[in-house]
């Protein structure tokens, strides 16, 4: 049996370019997993093994790897930082017990760091902070610590201080032990010595150490009393308190260094082992029955309990489909039959492998606390639970956001149609935030995703991995429709054609519901004028009708339908008759209820150098953006705004032109808002043309 206390499942997450992948590389080198470190900017990082990642120098897929440090096993997941791939971060956080948040020493807390941090808060993941790139021009450790407090509203617990900054950065001071770690000039992680604190830094060290001790002892009343009486707690006592506070998310131990220069990584690894929780110390996952109701039980991390495992990622590689799985309780053996609670089918476990980026080690058995990849799973998708067939239960399902942008694609030659279909099917299984649909009007294949870059990468994968060349159409925005007025109306469906006929009469009210309420149905019928058994058919018929609005054919949002009264016939009334009546009522009344087009509004977060702020804001205003805030930082200004998605196509190219390549931005879906008249007319006109060309 493995000792679960010696296990750490951790993720490394941050903004684009903060140095996550480089940090992972250094960790693997230190732990002896790899003997030569690959560099991201040379396109050689171990965990970035996709061509698209190597070319662009960004991480797209979360890579999983495991290594050992101080007799502990670390399962590490390197996650992407780019906003279009947040789904990867979200999925990873779901199955991790702890994380390392990497921040850039000069860029500080950047837009995407905020999103990732918010996700980690929602998933209640304990974290330590690593302020990286302190050797860069403009780096300032203390400023980043302040930003963590102000922007993320988190409490950093500073554990190490930098010695020197920028080109003079030589090492770190460990505040707990009051020792300096100084690295030699060869950029070798093993080439360091532990010495006393430099004279000129002693006061600073004592000041920060006092803050550290004061925060830590609050976790233990006895120690706090002793400390107030003037007794210095021992290092072991302090470590115990820090561990307790970190797991409770009261504070986040903060370290500094430069991953590229191999400085400060050991301290981070020690912190992972000392302060982040093992699988048994994390709040266990609640179990649900097969109907999705909580049972009150939890998946306890214990190999002897019934099997509970969550498939959190599917990846297709040269060996076939890999299903990455976190085992929460029980044991999994090669050749076992397990139940997929989502499909209700059993699956046989073909092979179990432990991953190291894109190479692997075969396992005979895996147990609670492990993160492994399974081969040979046929019907398992992201978010499905694998359970013991004799004692089934399901874990909380993962929720994925709806795509906001779609593009029509077509293969360059007709022969590629089938090949494209197979490839798209594989890609949908790998990424639930990516969807494929067929446009009913034109018969085109539409791919839908979270942003332009997301779809760009998908087309790139189609081309390179699957060998399918495609033509892309213009990006399409996922508009919606709603109503603005309340209408009381009535509709009678009557059909007599020899023998029994059809009859259903409904009196109803259609009115706008609250924002984000979706569809609300209510019946005020008394006295049995519309028998209760037909209410379900009416509710369903209206809900189905809402998939196609009356203006431009986009789905209808936020509508309340109230059934006021009606009439039925003892012989001729049926569920079908009331269904037909409801669908006709929808077409009759919605156009009269002040139908309105809604457009997706994105939360945009732009970083601009000081000199170009005016141009960037002017450009956002032209794109109908509403400026929310401007925060000046040392290297430039963060502008936050709400802007319609339809105006943001190609924005990154434009922003780079405005800012001479220095601007950055991230955007995520915020809400739907009414479309201005001129835009709505344009969209409706396009929709009518599409229908006319059918």
């Amino acid at each position: 049996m493995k000792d679960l206390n010696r296990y750490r499942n951790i993720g490394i997450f941050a903004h684009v370019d903060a140095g996550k992948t480089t940090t992972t590389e250094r960790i693997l080198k230190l732990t002896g997993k790899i003997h030569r470190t690959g560099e991201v900017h040379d396109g050689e990082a171990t965990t970035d093994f996709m061509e698209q990642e190597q070319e662009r120098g960004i991480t797209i897929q979360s890579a999983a790897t495991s290594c050992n440090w101080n007799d502990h096993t670390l399962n590490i997941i390197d996650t992407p930082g780019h906003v279009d791939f947040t789904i990867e971060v979200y999925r990873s956080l779901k199955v991790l017990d702890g994380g390392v948040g990497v921040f850039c020493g000069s860029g500080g807390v950047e837009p995407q760091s905020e999103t990732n941090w918010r996700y980690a808060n929602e998933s209640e993941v304990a974290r330590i902070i690593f302020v990286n790139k302190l050797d860069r021009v403009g780096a300032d450790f203390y400023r980043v610590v302040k930003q963590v407090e102000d922007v993320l509203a988190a409490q950093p617990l500073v554990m190490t201080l930098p010695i020197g900054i920028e080109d003079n950065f030589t090492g770190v001071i460990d505040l707990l032990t009051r020792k300096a770690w100084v690295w030699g000039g060869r950029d070798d992680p093993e080439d360091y010595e532990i010495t006393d604190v430099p004279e000129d830094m002693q006061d600073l060290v004592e000041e920060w150490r006092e803050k550290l001790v004061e925060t830590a002892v609050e976790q233990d009343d006895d120690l706090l009393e002793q400390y107030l009486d003037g007794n210095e707690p021992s290092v072991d006592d302090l470590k115990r308190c820090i561990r307790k506070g970190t797991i409770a998310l009261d504070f986040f131990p903060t370290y500094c260094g430069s991953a590229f220069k191999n400085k400060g990584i050991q301290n981070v690894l020690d912190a992972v082992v000392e302060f982040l929780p093992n699988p048994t110390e994390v709040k266990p996952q609640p179990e649900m029955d097969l109907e999705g109701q909580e049972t009150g039980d939890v998946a306890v991390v214990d190999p002897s309990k019934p099997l509970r495992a969550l498939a959190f990622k599917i990846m297709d590689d040269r060996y076939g489909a890999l299903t990455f799985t976190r085992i929460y309780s029980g044991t999994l053996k090669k050749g076992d039959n397990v139940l997929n609670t989502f499909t209700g089918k059993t699956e046989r476990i073909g092979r179990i492998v432990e991953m190291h980026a894109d190479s692997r080690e075969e396992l005979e058995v895996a147990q609670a606390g492990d993160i492994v990849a399974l081969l040979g799973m046929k019907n398992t998708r992201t978010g499905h639970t694998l359970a013991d067939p004799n004692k089934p239960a399901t874990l909380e399902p993962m929720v994925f956001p709806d795509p906001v942008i779609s593009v029509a694609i077509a293969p360059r030659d007709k022969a590629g149609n089938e090949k494209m279909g197979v490839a798209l099917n594989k890609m949908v299984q790998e990424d639930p935030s990516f969807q494929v649909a067929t446009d009913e009007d034109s018969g085109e294949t539409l791919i839908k995703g979270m942003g332009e870059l997301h779809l760009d990468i998908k087309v790139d994968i189609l081309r390179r991995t699957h060998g399918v060349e495609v033509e892309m159409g213009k990006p399409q925005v996922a508009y919606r429709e709603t109503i603005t007025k309340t209408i009381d109306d009535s509709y009678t469906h009557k059909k007599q054609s020899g023998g029994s006929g059809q009859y259903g009469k409904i009196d109803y009210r259609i009115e706008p519901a609250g924002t984000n309420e979706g569809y609300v149905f209510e019946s005020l019928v008394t006295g049995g004028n519309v028998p209760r058994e037909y209410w379900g058919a009416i509710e369903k018929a209206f809900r189905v009708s809402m998939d196609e609005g009356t203006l431009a054919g986009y789905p209808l949002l936020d509508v309340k339908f109230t059934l006021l009264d009606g009439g039925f016939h003892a012989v001729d009334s049926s569920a079908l008759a009331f269904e037909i009546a409801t669908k006709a009522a929808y077409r009759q009344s919605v156009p009269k209820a002040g139908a309105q087009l809604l457009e997706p509004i994105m939360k945009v977060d732009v970083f601009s150098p000081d000199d170009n702020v005016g141009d960037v804001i002017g450009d956002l205003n032209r794109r109908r953006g509403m400026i929310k805030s401007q925060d000046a930082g040392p290297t430039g200004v963060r502008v936050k705004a709400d802007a319609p998605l339809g105006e943001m196509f190609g924005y990154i190219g434009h922003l780079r032109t405005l800012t001479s390549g220095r601007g950055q931005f991230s955007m995520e879906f915020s809400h739907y808002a009414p479309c201005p008249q001129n835009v709505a007319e344009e969209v409706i006109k396009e929709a009518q043309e599409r229908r006319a060309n059918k």
Side-chain angles (χ1 to χ4, degrees), residues 26-27 67 196 219 258 317 354 432 446 487 540 595 597 654 675 682:
R26 299 304 185 262
I27 288 175
C67 53
D196 291 329
Q219 298 291 327
S258 162
D317 76 350
E354 196 169 62
L446 295 177
I487 292 275
K540 184 179 162 209
L597 203 65
H654 199 72
C675 246
E682 204 61 30

Side-chain angles (χ1 to χ4, degrees), residues 302-463:
D302 180 346
S304 60
K305 292 274 192 273
L307 175 71
R308 306 282 183 260
L310 185 71
F312 67 94
K313 177 180 171 64
I314 294 182
M315 205 168 99
D316 206 58
D317 76 350
R318 56 187 184 272
Y319 300 99
L322 288 171
T323 307
F324 282 89
T325 306
R326 160 79 195 260
I327 305 173
Y328 285 100
S329 72
T331 309
L332 197 57
K333 291 189 192 69
K334 197 170 149 180
D336 274 358
N337 283 319
V338 296
L339 174 73
N340 178 333
T341 56
F342 186 83
T343 59
K345 295 184 175 129
T346 53
E347 294 218 43
R348 188 170 180 276
I349 305 291
R351 288 157 65 198
I352 305 173
V353 291
E354 196 169 62
M355 296 299 292
H356 170 56
D358 62 343
S359 62
R360 62 210 53 209
E361 277 166 54
E362 294 266 343
L363 300 175
E364 288 299 314
V365 61
Q367 64 169 49
D370 278 340
I371 292 181
V372 291
L374 307 175
L375 278 108
M377 309 300 281
K378 289 190 177 58
N379 299 310
T380 301
R381 303 282 177 267
T382 299
H384 288 186
T385 302
L386 302 173
D388 183 332
N390 303 321
K391 291 184 180 157
T394 184
L395 299 164
E396 176 192 0
M398 292 180 165
V399 181
F400 298 109
D402 287 333
V404 289
I405 174 172
S406 62
V407 168
I409 57 166
R412 289 221 173 126
D413 51 59
K414 286 283 175 275
N417 242 331
E418 192 175 336
K419 205 170 168 189
M420 180 175 89
V422 171
L424 286 173
N425 194 26
K426 277 186 178 167
M427 286 159 69
V428 168
Q429 289 175 22
E430 287 176 18
D431 179 357
S433 62
F434 174 65
Q435 293 178 10
V436 175
T438 305
D439 187 313
E440 286 177 13
D441 299 342
S442 61
E444 293 173 313
T445 303
L446 295 177
I447 54 172
K448 305 178 178 184
M450 303 314 294
E452 273 184 291
L453 180 69
H454 190 194
L455 295 184
D456 260 359
I457 298 270
K458 294 296 179 198
V459 169
D460 212 25
I461 293 174
L462 268 178
R463 195 176 82 241

Side-chain angles (χ1 to χ4, degrees), residues 138-338:
D140 182 342
F141 173 68
Y142 303 100
R143 188 186 72 241
V144 179
V145 168
K146 184 84 177 81
Q147 276 186 321
V148 169
E149 288 177 3
D150 297 346
V151 180
L152 302 178
Q155 184 172 7
L157 184 71
V158 176
M159 303 293 291
T160 61
L161 295 181
I163 306 172
I165 204 76
E166 297 181 4
D167 287 347
N168 303 321
F169 176 64
T170 55
V172 303
I173 292 165
D174 181 345
L175 292 177
L176 277 180
T177 56
R178 295 189 175 91
K179 289 288 181 201
W181 292 56
V182 181
W183 278 265
R186 292 186 301 137
D187 291 346
D188 176 357
E190 308 285 354
D191 174 23
Y192 67 90
E193 54 177 354
I194 296 179
T195 62
D196 291 329
V197 173
E199 286 286 320
D200 58 340
M201 286 188 71
Q202 282 191 342
D203 290 350
L204 191 67
V205 167
E206 289 310 312
E207 178 195 332
W208 280 95
R209 193 174 190 277
E210 196 174 318
K211 286 185 191 172
L212 182 152
V213 174
E214 280 175 6
T215 310
V217 293
E218 283 176 4
Q219 298 291 327
D220 185 316
D221 292 346
D222 295 344
L223 270 182
L224 180 62
E225 258 180 56
Q226 289 172 27
Y227 178 66
L228 293 173
D229 291 342
N231 296 322
E232 176 83 3
S234 69
V235 170
D236 285 345
D237 279 339
L238 282 173
K239 280 185 177 173
R240 189 174 63 49
C241 289
I242 295 170
R243 181 175 183 86
K244 185 179 169 194
T246 307
I247 293 173
L249 306 185
D250 290 339
F251 46 70
F252 304 92
T254 301
Y255 292 80
C256 58
S258 162
F260 185 55
K261 294 283 186 5
N262 278 309
K263 293 171 183 165
I265 300 292
Q266 286 97 326
N267 313 77
V268 173
L269 280 170
D270 288 342
V272 166
V273 166
E274 283 174 347
F275 304 133
L276 288 181
N278 64 47
T280 60
E281 292 172 304
V282 181
K283 204 163 71 185
Q285 288 275 337
E287 290 184 3
M288 300 181 180
D289 60 19
L290 299 183
E291 274 72 57
Q293 302 299 316
E294 288 204 16
T295 58
D297 291 333
V298 289
V300 181
V301 182
D302 180 346
S304 60
K305 292 274 192 273
L307 175 71
R308 306 282 183 260
L310 185 71
F312 67 94
K313 177 180 171 64
I314 294 182
M315 205 168 99
D316 206 58
D317 76 350
R318 56 187 184 272
Y319 300 99
L322 288 171
T323 307
F324 282 89
T325 306
R326 160 79 195 260
I327 305 173
Y328 285 100
S329 72
T331 309
L332 197 57
K333 291 189 192 69
K334 197 170 149 180
D336 274 358
N337 283 319
V338 296

